[in-house]
Structure formats: C-alpha cells, structure tokens
Amino acid sequence: MTTNNRVIPWGLLLSAWLLAAGSSLSAIYIGEVLGQAPCVLCWFQRAFMFPLAVILMVATVSSTGLGSWQYAVPIASIGWAIAVYHNLLYFGVIEKAIIPCGAGP
C-alpha cells in the first residue's frame, strides 16, 4: 500500500489490529467471565478501545485501509491519554478524590 509516495507495510496494520482486538477481548473476558466490574476510567478507556479494533480490522482487510488511520490515531491517542491519567491516579502520582479500579462504577 502506498500513500503520498510512502510505503506502509500491511503488517503494521495487522499488528495494530491484533493488539486492539486482543485488548478488547481481554477486557470482555475480565468483565464477563471473571466478574470484575470496571471503574469509571476503565469504562472510558474501553469506549475508545472497542471501536479502534473495528476500525483497524476494516483497515487491515480493505485495499484502501490506510485512510482509516486518520480515524484510528485520534481514537487511540484519546484512549492512551485516559490510560496515562488512570495509571498516574492508580500509582499515587496524582492525588484525586476518586479511587480507581475499586468495587465498580
């Protein structure tokens, strides 16, 4: 695949999709099979992770999938920012009134 005279390997799309799909399936397994309720910040992270798996799957299987990066990168960036904030709260770097990953929402 090419875009603007640059070659972007299909393997990069495939590995990004596998990572997003694996993360989504893991979150579903932890919530539904293990019965652990996610906290509010976990819900926000999932809200950005689940559609990312679908977008990257479409990008991987379609011949014009490179255009999907313009949708995938902002979604992944917002989800990543929420994850960084969540980890900073969890490890006590940021003091906040809410308790992340407790008994659920």
Side-chain angles (χ1 to χ4, degrees), residues 16-17 19-22 24 48-60 75:
W17 172 68
L19 181 64
S24 297
F48 290 97
M49 181 176 51
F50 291 157
L52 186 62
V54 175
I55 290 170
L56 291 172
M57 180 190 63
V58 171
T60 302
I75 290 174

Side-chain angles (χ1 to χ4, degrees), residues 1-3 8 20 24 41 45-46 50 52 58 61 72 74 82 101-102:
M1 293 183 214
T2 62
T3 177
I8 298 177
S24 297
L41 290 173
Q45 289 175 44
R46 290 176 184 197
F50 291 157
L52 186 62
V58 171
V61 299
I82 294 169
C101 292

Side-chain angles (χ1 to χ4, degrees), residues 18-28 49-50:
L18 288 174
L19 181 64
S23 298
S24 297
L25 291 173
S26 297
I28 291 170
M49 181 176 51
F50 291 157

